[in-house]
Amino acid sequence: MEYFEILGIIVCEMRKEKKMSRKTLAMETGYSSTQIGRLERGKIKNPAYKMIAEIEKVLDINMRSEIENFANKSDDKIAGIYKN
């Protein structure tokens, strides 16, 4: 799995955990819901640092920590993300 795919899964998971719609995240970060959707689906292969920083701020997360935690999750948990 590529870095940008993992990043997308994390953003989607954390957004849902915070019970936030894609549209709300888009409005609060200043990006379009289409851009957020593309990021979540792993379609943006080289997301801008500014975009990641805005998402971290709005979701109140540290992406580096989240990526490290992602590596420790079981395959069942990861598979469940794709079903949602």
Side-chain angles (χ1 to χ4, degrees):
M1 189 172 284
E2 299 287 334
Y3 165 78
F4 55 90
E5 293 170 313
I6 294 169
L7 184 68
I9 291 169
I10 291 168
V11 170
C12 184
E13 182 180 72
M14 297 308 294
R15 177 181 59 78
K16 289 178 179 180
E17 187 175 297
K18 306 260 184 200
K19 300 190 184 330
M20 183 180 287
S21 71
R22 191 176 284 162
K23 184 177 180 178
T24 301
L25 179 59
M27 288 186 327
E28 291 190 22
T29 59
Y31 292 92
S32 71
S33 57
T34 301
Q35 288 173 302
I36 299 296
R38 290 186 69 236
L39 178 73
E40 288 182 352
R41 291 188 306 276
K43 300 296 183 186
I44 300 177
K45 295 184 179 187
N46 191 16
Y49 172 77
K50 183 178 177 185
M51 182 181 202
I52 302 306
E54 287 296 325
I55 290 171
E56 284 180 313
K57 182 179 169 185
V58 171
L59 294 178
D60 192 30
I61 61 172
N62 178 290
M63 196 59 73
R64 176 175 279 202
S65 296
E66 294 300 329
I67 290 170
E68 289 172 3
N69 290 337
F70 183 89
N72 297 325
K73 290 182 180 177
S74 71
D75 290 343
D76 292 338
K77 173 75 174 171
I78 294 168
I81 293 168
Y82 284 113
K83 292 179 184 176
N84 292 331

